[in-house]
Structures are given as C-alpha cells and as structure tokens.
Amino acid sequence: KADDKFRRFCLKDPICQKMPSLTLVLFVWYERIKGKRSAWKTYLDALPKWYGLPHECQIKLLLPFLRGSLILEKIIRLKISHLRHYTYARQMLHRAGIEPGLRLVDYLWAAAAVMS
C-alpha cells in the first residue's frame, strides 16, 4: 500500500529522522497529491495557492531592491537549502518507489505551507 510505503520511508530515511521539518514538508506534499483520498483534503484545499514568501520569488526580481543587503544573502541561502532538500527528497522517494515524482513547484508550495 502506498501510504505504508511512504510512512516507512519517512521513518527510515536518515535525513527525515534528523529534520522533522522536511518530514512535515513531504507529508504535506504527499497528502496533497492524494487528493480526495486524503483525510487532510479540506484543510489543504483551504491553504493559499501561493504564499508570497521571499524564497518563492525570482532573484532577478529581488535584486533591484535588495542588492548588497544581508536579507538577499539569507534568501539565496534559503533557496539553496530548499533546492538541496528537494533534490535529495526527489531522489530518495524515487528509489523508494513512491510516485508520482516530487516536482519542485509542489515541494516549494509544501515548504511555504509548513513555514507559514
């Protein structure tokens, strides 16, 4: 069963064990892709489709306002961290046979939901 496979993945994956926030991001993503089969559907459907958090913006749009500031550096570091976690999670989920594959847009949405 897919839910059992996902649960086992979260419990056994070494990074998920060390990073509960990543586990929560993956849980939110997984429940969202389940659609009507998710007990969380009503809640997830009520969440914003876009959060407007800085890590969701393109750097080229932020540059004119934040060039040379520490906040721009922090946003870039957050983006890099998200990309690193996304790449790792996508690869490990694929190896575990958990489909459909994790898309970056879905990962970033779930991360924003968890962060907000």
Side-chain angles (χ1 to χ4, degrees), residues 3-97:
D3 288 352
D4 291 336
K5 189 185 290 189
F6 181 75
R7 190 174 298 112
R8 280 192 308 273
F9 169 81
C10 290
L11 290 172
K12 291 182 179 181
D13 182 78
I15 302 297
C16 285
Q17 289 177 358
K18 293 177 184 174
M19 296 183 61
S21 59
L22 177 60
T23 305
L24 184 55
V25 167
L26 294 177
F27 174 80
V28 169
W29 161 76
Y30 184 74
E31 289 298 320
R32 187 176 189 210
I33 65 164
K34 283 171 50 178
K36 293 178 182 178
R37 296 180 296 117
S38 173
W40 293 90
K41 182 182 179 359
T42 304
Y43 172 74
L44 294 172
D45 286 350
L47 294 175
K49 303 296 180 224
W50 187 72
Y51 286 88
L53 297 175
H55 75 270
E56 295 175 299
C57 297
Q58 294 178 6
I59 295 297
K60 68 181 179 182
L61 298 177
L62 297 174
L63 227 75
F65 306 103
L66 300 175
R67 186 182 310 272
S69 71
L70 290 177
I71 191 71
L72 181 62
E73 183 180 328
K74 288 183 184 245
I75 292 168
I76 291 170
R77 286 180 190 217
L78 180 61
K79 284 179 160 290
I80 291 169
S81 176
H82 279 309
L83 287 172
R84 189 176 298 128
H85 295 142
Y86 160 75
T87 303
Y88 172 82
R90 180 177 168 85
Q91 182 180 19
M92 293 298 106
L93 289 166
H94 177 73
R95 284 184 186 169

